[in-house]
Amino acid sequence: MDYILHLYCYLYGKSCRQRWNIRPSEMSINTLNPIRAIVDGMKLTPNPEKPMIALSIGDPTVFGNLPTDDKVLQAMKDAIDSNKYNGYAPSVGYQKSREVVANFYSCTEAPLEAEDVLLTSGCSQAIDLAITVLCNPGDNILVPCPGFSLYKTLAVSLGIQVKLYTLLPEKSWEIDLQHMESLIDDRTTCLIVNNPSNPCGSVYSKEHLQNILSVASKHCVPILADEIYGDMVFPGCTYQSMASLSSDVPILACGGLAKRWLVPGWRLGWILIHDKNQIFGKEIRQGLVKLSQRILGACTIVQGAIESILNDTPQEFYHRTISFLESNSEICFSELSTVPGLTPVMPSGAMYLMVGIEMEHFPEFQNDVQFTERLVTEQSVFCLPATAFEYPNYFRIVVTVPEEMMVEACTRIREFCQRHYRTCSQDSNELDQ
C-alpha cells in the first residue's frame, strides 16, 4: 500500500508526508560564532569573595564611564521630535543621509558621492553584505588571524571557505605578507583587512598598507576594509583608510557609529564603495542594492540624526575618548609587562590589548581556555581566551573599563600568575621527585 501511495505521489507531484519531519536548514546548522562556542563551554564560576571584573566585552558602554557626547544625544532627540523619520527609508538609506556620510569620508585621494554609500544596520550588516555580494559557495576569503570572529561566522554559513593569514605579534601585529599571498588561488574572491584591529589594537603604517595593496593588485583580489575603529588611534600614530592609498584595487570599506561615537546599540553602519577604475562596475553595486532589500536595515531615526552627529560632535569628545583608552592601555601594558609568564603587546588604537601566555610556565593548564577559566574561578576576572580568535595561548583585554577597575584587574591577574607560575627547573625537579 505504501509503495502504491508513494508512486502516486511521485507521478502526480502530490505530498506523501505521513508524519512530521521538520529539520533545520543547512545554513542554520553551519552558522557558529566561535566566541560563543568557546565561552559557552567554559565553566565560569566567579570567586564569591571578589566582585566580577569583565574585561571580555567589546561594548564601551557597559560600565557607564564612556558616555557619548551630549551633541550626539541631542541630535537623536531632535530627529525624534521632528516626526520626519518614523516611516520606512529606502533600503540603502535616505539620500540626504548618504550624502552626509559621503561628504564626511570623502577625500582627494578617495572621493565619494552619495551613490557610493549604503547605510546598514551596524557595521556587522555592512560586512555581511560585502562578503555576500563578492562570494559564491566554494569561493574562499582571506581573514586575519587573530581576527574578528564574525568574518568566519558569516562566510561558513554561506558555504565560503575561510583561509586564515597570520598576524605577527613581534611586529605589532603586522600581516605576514608572504603567508597571506601564499593562500591566494583562483577561488579567492575577497581579502579582509581590519585596521585598526580587533582583537589586537594594531594600527598599520602607510608603508604596510601599501604593501598589502600591492599583493591585492598583483593577484586582482578586491579588499573588504573593516574600518569600524577608523581614527581611534593613539597620539603618535596615524590612521589612513585603505582607499586613500589605493590606485587600482577596488575596496568595500565598512564602518559605523558604534565605536568612535560610543553608541553600538544604535545600529547604524555603512559600506563605502571605492572603485576608481570601475572594476566593480554596475553589477556589484546592483548586487549590494538587491541584498539590502532583503531586510530594511539602518534605523531611520539615527539616519535622521546622522548629519548633526558627524558634523557637530566636538573634537574634544574624540580626544577625551582616545586619551582614556591610551591611558588604560598603558596601565595594563605596564602592569602586566612585569608579570612572569605574560607577554602583553602594546596597542596603538582601538579598544583592545592582547597578552601572550608562556604556557610552559603554567603546567597546570593545557591551554588559554583553561587559564582564563581558572582566572575567573579564583580572581573573578574574565578575559577572552584568544582561542576564540583561533590564536591560542593569548588572551584579549578590553580597555574600556574604569581606570580603578583596570588597576584592580591587573593586580588580580598578577596574583593569579604568581600563584601558578613555575620555572622550567621547578618543573623538572618536581618530575624527578
Side-chain angles (χ1 to χ4, degrees):
M1 184 65 183
D2 286 345
Y3 170 77
I4 296 174
L5 178 61
H6 283 292
L7 179 62
Y8 169 81
C9 295
Y10 175 77
L11 292 174
Y12 293 99
K14 302 294 185 180
S15 172
C16 292
R17 293 180 182 171
Q18 295 177 300
R19 58 183 177 273
W20 292 98
N21 184 28
I22 301 172
R23 303 290 300 162
S25 69
E26 290 297 319
M27 182 178 181
S28 68
I29 293 172
N30 292 332
T31 299
L32 177 68
N33 185 323
I35 292 179
R36 291 262 54 90
I38 297 295
V39 174
D40 291 348
M42 296 176 70
K43 299 176 182 177
L44 301 176
T45 306
N47 184 338
E49 297 180 1
K50 297 185 178 185
M52 185 69 172
I53 302 177
L55 304 178
S56 58
I57 306 170
D59 181 347
T61 71
V62 169
F63 296 96
N65 59 307
L66 289 175
T68 192
D69 191 76
D70 289 342
K71 291 281 188 180
V72 177
L73 296 175
Q74 189 60 50
M76 279 289 280
K77 295 172 185 176
D78 292 343
I80 294 172
D81 290 342
S82 73
N83 220 25
K84 295 179 180 179
Y85 307 106
N86 298 331
Y88 291 122
S91 65
V92 293
Y94 289 121
Q95 180 71 11
K96 176 62 176 176
S97 303
R98 296 166 70 195
E99 288 176 2
V100 168
V101 174
N103 291 336
F104 189 80
Y105 285 101
S106 185
C107 63
T108 304
E109 301 81 8
L112 289 166
E113 298 180 355
E115 288 67 30
D116 302 317
V117 178
L118 277 82
L119 300 182
T120 60
S121 179
C123 188
S124 295
Q125 191 195 19
I127 294 168
D128 184 17
L129 296 181
I131 292 175
T132 306
V133 80
L134 292 174
C135 307
N136 287 306
D139 290 339
N140 65 74
I141 63 174
L142 307 188
V143 171
C145 182
F148 184 36
S149 61
L150 182 69
Y151 310 138
K152 184 174 183 178
T153 298
L154 295 173
V156 171
S157 70
L158 296 169
I160 300 161
Q161 181 187 4
V162 171
K163 292 186 175 183
L164 301 174
Y165 64 80
T166 303
L167 305 183
L168 303 170
E170 68 274 15
K171 293 187 176 181
S172 299
W173 301 107
E174 284 191 348
I175 296 172
D176 183 337
L177 295 171
Q178 185 175 0
H179 180 237
M180 183 184 76
E181 186 170 9
S182 72
L183 299 175
I184 299 173
D185 61 25
D186 290 341
R187 296 302 299 270
T188 303
T189 52
C190 176
L191 164 61
I192 296 182
V193 179
N194 180 204
N195 179 55
S197 162
N198 174 13
C200 302
S202 54
V203 179
Y204 293 151
S205 67
K206 177 181 179 180
E207 180 183 10
H208 191 58
L209 291 171
Q210 289 172 328
N211 289 336
I212 298 167
L213 287 163
S214 294
V215 174
S217 177
K218 176 182 176 181
H219 295 279
C220 300
V221 177
I223 289 177
L224 190 171
D226 180 355
E227 298 177 337
I228 185 64
Y229 297 97
D231 289 310
M232 291 184 71
V233 300
F234 301 160
C237 298
T238 302
Y239 165 74
Q240 287 192 272
S241 67
M242 293 217 73
S244 67
L245 300 174
S246 176
S247 59
D248 63 329
V249 178
I251 295 171
L252 297 180
C254 300
L257 292 181
K259 309 301 184 178
R260 192 179 180 203
W261 285 270
L262 306 176
V263 287
W266 289 12
R267 310 313 302 144
L268 182 66
W270 45 74
I271 299 176
L272 310 179
I273 305 171
H274 296 279
D275 189 22
K276 294 178 181 177
N277 298 333
Q278 300 301 308
I279 296 171
F280 282 146
K282 294 181 179 179
E283 292 81 3
I284 294 297
R285 291 173 180 267
Q286 291 172 349
L288 283 170
V289 172
K290 290 179 179 180
L291 288 172
S292 75
Q293 292 169 345
R294 294 175 66 206
I295 299 175
L296 296 181
C299 173
T300 54
I301 295 172
V302 188
Q303 288 188 57
I306 191 67
E307 181 173 14
S308 181
I309 291 173
L310 296 186
N311 296 334
D312 298 339
T313 302
Q315 287 298 315
E316 175 56 31
F317 165 74
Y318 304 124
H319 296 327
R320 188 166 58 248
T321 303
I322 291 297
S323 177
F324 175 83
L325 295 175
E326 181 188 31
S327 176
N328 252 15
S329 297
E330 289 176 341
I331 290 170
C332 186
F333 177 79
S334 176
E335 290 294 322
L336 299 187
S337 290
T338 58
V339 175
L342 298 185
T343 308
V345 182
M346 181 64 190
S348 299
M351 311 186 312
Y352 312 101
L353 183 148
M354 287 279 276
V355 182
I357 312 168
E358 298 169 12
M359 294 304 303
E360 66 272 18
H361 292 295
F362 299 98
E364 293 178 65
F365 313 117
Q366 293 182 3
N367 50 45
D368 57 308
V369 176
Q370 288 188 4
F371 181 97
T372 52
E373 189 176 69
R374 187 78 73 83
L375 181 58
V376 172
T377 301
E378 295 183 13
Q379 296 289 346
S380 296
V381 174
F382 184 26
C383 305
L384 200 61
T387 291
F389 306 109
E390 305 200 58
Y391 204 84
N393 301 335
Y394 277 76
F395 60 86
R396 186 194 73 174
I397 289 177
V398 178
V399 297
T400 58
V401 300
E403 180 179 318
E404 62 274 14
M405 196 174 288
M406 177 60 70
V407 172
E408 173 64 18
C410 290
T411 299
R412 294 189 198 176
I413 293 172
R414 178 184 297 276
E415 291 174 358
F416 176 82
C417 290
Q418 288 174 338
R419 178 176 181 181
H420 296 283
Y421 181 88
R422 301 290 183 272
T423 64
C424 293
S425 59
Q426 281 179 292
D427 296 339
S428 59
N429 289 336
E430 289 171 3
L431 289 174
D432 292 340
Q433 294 172 356

